[in-house]
Amino acid sequence: ASRLALELGAVPPLDIIEGLLPRHDAATAAALSLAAAAAGLLPADDMSKSIRALPEHGQYCQGMAQHLVLKPFKIRLAELSDLPRLCELEQLAWAPNLQAPRDVLRARLETSPTTNLVCTVA
């Protein structure tokens, strides 16, 4: 039933999203959002207006109130195995004098692994 709900674009039960996270009583809003994005579930409208962590104040949350829809892409943390494609994107997106060299991209992945994201299209 949950898979059918996802295919129809319905909001999935919270246990699907929580199943992507380590077993804890609470997680940060960022961790819940990234877990949902990794499953292809993103807010239906402007994210800045629709995300509401529950409880509203505090470092961790038990859940988030937002309308999620299944998108044709997923967002996840970048990994070193993504480096060849990231170098290719760098060349496509930037003028030669603005491109970051491979060793700089690698350093970014190694020194700040939670701030580099990739989007994959299904």
Side-chain angles (χ1 to χ4, degrees):
S2 295
R3 178 170 286 209
L4 177 60
L6 286 175
E7 290 172 2
L8 295 175
V11 177
L14 184 58
D15 63 333
I16 291 175
I17 294 172
E18 288 176 342
L20 299 171
L21 298 171
R23 288 289 169 204
H24 296 289
D25 291 337
T28 64
L32 286 174
S33 295
L34 187 56
L41 298 168
L42 290 116
D45 57 7
D46 180 8
M47 248 189 344
S48 64
K49 295 178 184 173
S50 65
I51 295 177
R52 192 171 133 228
L54 304 170
E56 291 185 20
H57 304 289
Q59 186 176 3
Y60 296 96
C61 64
Q62 295 279 355
M64 297 176 71
Q66 61 189 11
H67 178 73
L68 300 176
V69 295
L70 190 60
K71 300 287 186 170
F73 56 87
K74 298 176 182 182
I75 299 171
R76 62 173 174 79
L77 294 173
E79 303 170 350
L80 281 176
S81 61
D82 296 313
L83 190 55
R85 295 288 290 173
L86 293 172
C87 290
E88 187 179 330
L89 279 171
E90 191 77 10
Q91 291 175 352
L92 291 170
W94 299 100
N97 62 323
L98 298 175
Q99 293 174 14
R102 181 183 186 88
D103 59 328
V104 170
L105 295 176
R106 182 182 185 90
R108 288 177 187 167
L109 293 172
E110 292 174 338
T111 60
S112 189
T114 60
T115 60
N116 296 281
L117 303 173
V118 295
C119 178
T120 59
V121 180

